[in-house]
Amino acid sequence: MTSPSGSTPTEAQAFLDAHPEIEAFDIVLTDANGVGRGKIVRRHELKSIFEGGRHMPISILGLDITGEDVHETGLIWTTGDGDLRAWPIPGTLVPLYGTNPPRGQLLMAMYHLDGQPMSSDPRLALARQVEILAAKGLYPAGAFELEFFLLANERDADGKVQPARAVLDGRVSGKTEVYSVDHLHGMEPLFSDIYAAAKAQGIPAETVISEYAPGQYELTLNYRKDVMRAADDLVMLKRLVRAQARRHGVTACFMAKPIEKYAGSGMHFHVSLQDKAGRNVFAESGGESWSLPLLQGLGGLIQTMAESMLVFAPHANSWRRFVSQSYAPVAPTWGVNNRSVALRVPAGDAKNRRIEHRPSGVDANPYLIAATVLAAIIKGLDEGLDPGPETTGNGYEAAITRTTMPVDWRAAIEAARASSFLKGALGEDLHRTFVAIKQSEYLRVARTVSELDYHLYLHEV
């Protein structure tokens, strides 16, 4: 049958011809948690995947973060754990840098056997929001920022994670090295391999900086006119950063807050809309302060932020990132050139006007982030929503006047469960799947007796 994803056997054959050295391929399907699940197939199997897809169990999309079945998703025994068909995502067939023997990688999306989109696939939820915008003559562009820690494989004497030694000379830095160029030199061999791997995969990785916390870094990605590809970039970049770090003897950590006394890691999403002529509709003109579409998009994002926080902060650890003056937003606020707000309008040329969405942690799923953000912007445009006054100065001190944010993971789960907006943004099936997975994970964490419990209570109560 014809591939419903738009992939063709011609792409596979051209790749095989260009890369006779590659012996096997990782085929990767991204689940609700952003975890890549799939198989390693041999070279001779690749073309048949492009010709007829590859059967995979539907339950892949109903797993929690540990890979355990979540029966409440309705994707396990309710369906008999039957097979659906995964198809290649065009443009994601790439070589994997530094593998021996050489391997390639292919991202996949899930479809029913008749070719209809499988509605619990996160990437296809994003595709649906892109289609809604296209029907309005609007086309989203964007890019993600990737913050992460490089940690030692061994814990310290107290069992805590610790920053990795420099791979160049083994030096240790236990202090904040924010924006230190010299500090980056110690990780130069690793970052050189990350850039080489990104180039081999066509990922537009750009600036690397030493971030606020010891061992914390940020990689930026070039802006894409195709927001679907921007999300693919982030998925692929996380995989290659983790792989290259492992080859250099360190651990790439994508937890939202791995070290309690330092700021956590975000996944900021920059987004704008273009019309059919390629004009940025967020760009102001004619002497106006801000364009109406920009303000309305901000209004939609502010109104829906509270009920969407489970998408942006999906794990127990995600919520440790939201503390005052931690460079993570704590209220549904917007401002210009201000990093203490949730929605930042970066300063610069009007033609590049965009919204920087800052609530998401690096542990979130970029497909779900983008789908939810676009749905909120659509809501703002359709309903002509007002974002309220701009926040100036310290956004952490701004009063929350429009809505109340969830205070913790459990509150976020309940807000998401009750949200008609989020059900529409993700689709009813993915909404059910995602909330059920998060509820299952919450219960696992809630019933766990931690070392902290013993420290606080064992001899005191």
Side-chain angles (χ1 to χ4, degrees):
M1 63 184 293
T2 301
S3 169
S5 69
S7 61
T8 66
T10 303
E11 180 182 357
Q13 189 60 59
F15 185 90
L16 292 171
D17 291 343
H19 297 278
E21 76 284 0
I22 290 183
E23 299 182 12
F25 296 87
D26 297 1
I27 60 173
V28 182
L29 182 73
T30 302
D31 73 5
N33 275 316
V35 176
R37 304 195 184 274
K39 308 177 179 182
I40 297 178
V41 300
R42 304 301 296 170
R43 177 184 178 89
H44 68 270
E45 299 177 81
L46 180 69
K47 195 168 181 182
S48 67
I49 293 173
F50 279 79
E51 293 169 342
R54 184 68 177 239
H55 285 109
M56 288 190 182
I58 189 174
S59 58
I60 284 180
L61 295 176
L63 304 177
D64 69 10
I65 193 67
T66 69
E68 295 285 345
D69 292 337
V70 178
H71 296 280
E72 293 78 5
T73 62
L75 301 179
I76 316 298
W77 298 124
T78 303
T79 63
D81 196 16
D83 280 348
L84 296 185
R85 190 172 289 167
W87 288 88
I89 297 171
T92 65
L93 178 58
V94 294
L96 289 175
Y97 178 83
T99 50
N100 185 24
R103 295 202 322 278
Q105 176 180 276
L106 176 64
L107 300 188
M108 309 286 283
M110 190 77 93
Y111 293 81
H112 291 283
L113 298 181
D114 63 0
Q116 292 300 308
M118 199 285 163
S119 49
S120 286
D121 185 310
R123 191 180 190 276
L124 298 182
L126 172 56
R128 190 166 63 86
Q129 295 303 324
V130 171
E131 290 168 1
I132 291 171
L133 281 167
K136 300 174 181 292
L138 296 171
Y139 306 90
F144 288 88
E145 296 175 5
L146 182 69
E147 296 178 357
F148 59 97
F149 281 80
L150 293 175
L151 302 177
N153 294 337
E154 305 79 23
R155 306 286 181 90
D156 66 15
D158 296 321
K160 303 287 189 180
V161 297
Q162 56 185 333
R165 292 177 177 272
V167 298
L168 182 65
D169 55 14
R171 290 185 184 178
V172 179
S173 174
K175 61 180 186 288
T176 298
E177 301 274 9
V178 62
Y179 277 79
S180 169
V181 177
D182 289 344
H183 178 65
L184 291 176
H185 293 169
M187 292 294 179
E188 185 177 19
L190 170 55
F191 283 114
S192 293
D193 281 347
I194 287 173
Y195 279 126
K199 181 179 180 180
Q201 296 186 16
I203 299 172
E206 295 198 326
T207 306
V208 60
I209 66 170
S210 177
E211 260 289 0
Y212 177 74
Q216 188 183 34
Y217 302 88
E218 179 186 87
L219 267 172
T220 62
L221 288 159
N222 195 19
Y223 216 67
R224 291 275 199 183
K225 291 184 178 180
D226 178 358
V227 77
M228 298 286 292
R229 189 54 204 259
D232 292 337
D233 285 342
L234 199 284
V235 168
M236 296 165 72
L237 185 61
K238 282 182 73 173
R239 287 182 57 79
L240 74 84
V241 168
R242 181 178 284 116
Q244 295 305 321
R246 189 175 182 182
R247 289 190 173 91
H248 283 271
V250 300
T251 296
C253 174
F254 300 111
M255 291 172 63
K257 191 172 176 67
I259 302 176
E260 58 193 43
K261 64 180 180 179
Y262 291 107
S265 295
M267 189 194 293
H268 301 162
F269 177 41
H270 295 252
V271 61
S272 60
L273 298 178
Q274 296 182 329
D275 62 18
K276 291 181 178 178
R279 185 182 71 89
N280 182 358
V281 302
F282 283 174
E284 62 272 15
S285 61
E288 62 183 350
S289 296
W290 304 108
S291 76
L292 186 59
L294 175 71
L295 294 174
Q296 291 174 341
L298 288 167
L301 288 163
I302 285 173
Q303 187 178 105
T304 61
M305 190 174 295
E307 58 199 298
S308 303
M309 281 304 299
L310 186 62
V311 169
F312 309 142
H315 306 291
N317 180 259
S318 308
W319 291 86
R320 307 193 197 287
R321 178 172 162 260
F322 296 102
V323 293
S324 180
Q325 300 184 28
S326 65
Y327 296 98
V330 294
T333 52
W334 76 280
V336 180
N337 196 25
N338 187 335
R339 286 182 170 84
S340 66
V341 297
L343 304 168
R344 174 176 175 253
V345 179
D349 195 322
K351 69 180 181 181
N352 297 323
R353 190 69 66 221
R354 64 194 186 275
I355 296 170
E356 180 187 1
H357 183 271
R358 296 174 57 82
S360 300
V362 74
D363 55 345
N365 183 328
Y367 297 127
L368 298 188
I369 294 171
T372 304
V373 166
L374 293 184
I377 290 173
I378 292 169
K379 180 179 175 68
L381 296 175
D382 287 348
E383 299 179 15
L385 298 178
D386 182 353
E390 173 192 347
T391 296
T392 57
N394 187 351
Y396 296 112
E397 297 177 353
I400 304 173
T401 58
R402 302 295 294 270
T403 186
T404 300
M405 297 283 275
V407 296
D408 55 25
W409 192 26
R410 180 178 180 181
I413 292 171
E414 294 308 316
R417 190 196 313 278
S419 172
S420 58
F421 162 75
L422 199 60
K423 186 177 292 186
L426 303 183
E428 186 171 345
D429 291 338
L430 181 53
H431 177 265
R432 181 193 66 248
T433 297
F434 184 62
V435 172
I437 289 170
K438 295 297 108 183
Q439 178 67 19
S440 175
E441 292 173 355
Y442 168 78
L443 293 174
R444 177 190 288 258
V445 172
R447 66 175 175 258
T448 299
V449 180
S450 70
E451 190 61 37
L452 181 61
D453 288 286
Y454 296 125
H455 175 71
L456 293 177
Y457 310 120
L458 179 61
H459 300 291
E460 310 298 335
V461 297

